[in-house]
Amino acid sequence: MDVSFLGGPGGPHPQRGIGVVAPFDFALDRELWRWVPDDVSLHLTRTPFVPVEVSLDLARLVSEHETLREAVRALSAVAPEVVAYACTSGSFVAGTGGERAMCAAMAQAGEIPALTTSGALLEALTELGARRVAVVTPYTGSVTDSLEAFLGEAGIEVTGRSYLGLTREIWRVPYRDVVGMAHEAAVGAPDALFISCTNLPTYDAIPQLEAELRMPVLSANQVTLWSALRRIGKRAVGPYQALLDPVARRGPASMSGMPELPELPELPELPELPRLSGLSELPGVPGPAVPGPPEPEAALAGPAAGPAPDAVDAADGPEPPPFPDDPGLLPPG
């Protein structure tokens, strides 16, 4: 049996592997896959369950170094080329120094390159040249404050923010709430907008927001996969997102900085064409014709009289016979 169409006798086409360590309550595996090209596989594992709601305490628990090391060792069995810690709050809660220490712990455990969502965010902002950012989060105020402190430590100014105050089931937030928060936060002329939390759905909302806000829009899952794929020489896929597509950076997301187009000069009026006289109306062409001089006989005879009514009826032909199905015209039976 010829199985070459299935990828050759050696099996399926080879896949590049990315390891992902996610918090125990992560629910958006499918969204992560949407940024991944066909020849790359994601290998996900989760941190152990802890009975704590989304908070600064939970962020610290799911980012402990030993927890991350164990997760990376488990992923090493499938030999990923890079490992990403897909949690925003867990990777910003200890500041920029804490984020770097997490990367070092994971890289040492798996002997492969490692990154975090918050580190990928800083990388993406550098890529876009963004120093002023609007922030959207599903978190409480205290967790949002910690994100702002992390960005400030990295030299990024937060111009506006909006948050939901949720402590559980963040993955259930609909797109309309994400879009509404983004419009509320996008004040103070930011260079970009960031939507935090890998458990908050964002994939389909990004192109709409970039078109409406006229600025790049980043999200936690987007920057995580973008950075991980760059580490292995691959590009993330996504519909018209400024971070992923240079063409999109020249589209709606860049229109706010475009200079106004100069006004076009007014065109001179064209001279009126001379009228031709003496032309009678052309047959089959609608519209009035330029009248010629009247015939002498017609001028003396006065207005022409129309045909007599009887003549019109005669010209139309004889009256058609009555329709036989008309009950008023049928002969008596």
Side-chain angles (χ1 to χ4, degrees):
M1 176 181 175
D2 181 14
V3 293
S4 59
F5 66 94
L6 297 176
H13 292 293
Q15 295 277 300
R16 312 287 296 276
I18 294 178
V20 178
V21 180
F24 65 90
D25 62 346
F26 179 71
L28 298 184
D29 305 55
R30 184 177 177 84
E31 175 165 287
L32 287 184
W33 276 96
R34 298 179 73 181
W35 274 288
V36 179
D38 290 341
D39 60 344
V40 175
S41 285
L42 297 181
H43 309 300
L44 275 80
T45 190
R46 283 165 168 75
T47 62
F49 171 79
V50 290
V52 179
E53 294 183 333
V54 177
S55 60
L56 290 174
D57 289 338
L58 178 62
R60 296 185 184 99
L61 287 171
V62 296
S63 61
E64 291 179 345
H65 288 189
E66 188 52 39
T67 297
L68 298 179
R69 290 191 190 99
E70 290 180 5
V72 172
R73 291 189 194 106
L75 288 171
S76 297
V78 292
E81 298 178 52
V82 62
V83 64
Y85 178 55
C87 179
T88 324
S89 60
S91 54
F92 67 59
V93 68
T96 56
E99 190 275 333
R100 289 191 295 268
M102 292 172 62
C103 290
M106 291 189 294
Q108 183 182 25
E111 298 183 351
I112 52 175
L115 62 104
T116 73
T117 297
S118 296
L121 168 61
L122 299 182
E123 184 182 347
L125 293 174
T126 300
E127 172 77 9
L128 297 173
R131 308 301 298 174
R132 293 164 50 81
V133 181
V135 169
V136 168
T137 88
Y139 313 133
T140 61
S142 60
V143 181
T144 306
D145 290 341
S146 183
L147 171 59
E148 186 169 351
F150 173 85
L151 291 170
E153 190 178 347
I156 305 296
E157 177 186 356
V158 174
T159 62
R161 67 185 206 177
S162 179
Y163 59 92
L164 287 174
L166 298 180
T167 59
R168 64 181 69 181
E169 298 188 348
I170 290 171
W171 69 88
R172 298 188 187 277
V173 176
Y175 279 145
R176 64 175 177 271
D177 291 355
V178 175
V179 171
M181 286 194 298
H183 280 274
E184 181 181 333
V187 296
D191 301 321
L193 180 136
F194 174 58
I195 305 172
S196 189
C197 189
T198 54
N199 228 3
L200 186 65
T202 58
Y203 186 90
D204 297 301
I206 291 174
Q208 175 186 342
L209 284 172
E210 290 192 340
E212 293 174 353
L213 300 177
R214 297 297 190 264
M215 68 179 68
V217 173
L218 309 175
S219 79
N221 284 332
Q222 178 206 47
V223 298
T224 303
L225 269 299
W226 169 81
S227 179
L229 286 162
R230 290 223 307 183
R231 296 291 201 286
I232 64 172
K234 304 293 291 185
R235 293 180 60 179
V237 296
Y240 209 74
Q241 299 175 20
L243 178 63
L244 315 184
D245 186 358
V247 175
R249 298 184 197 181
R250 299 192 296 268
S254 66
M255 290 179 66
S256 60
M258 292 178 63
E260 294 186 5
L261 295 176
E263 293 186 6
L264 296 175
E266 293 186 6
L267 296 176
E269 294 186 5
L270 296 175
E272 187 174 352
L273 295 176
R275 287 180 173 273
L276 299 177
S277 60
L279 296 177
S280 59
E281 186 172 353
L282 296 176
V285 180
V290 180
E295 294 290 336
E297 295 81 3
L300 295 174
D310 293 341
V312 175
D313 293 342
D316 291 340
E319 193 70 28
F323 193 74
D325 292 338
D326 188 343
L329 299 176
L330 292 174

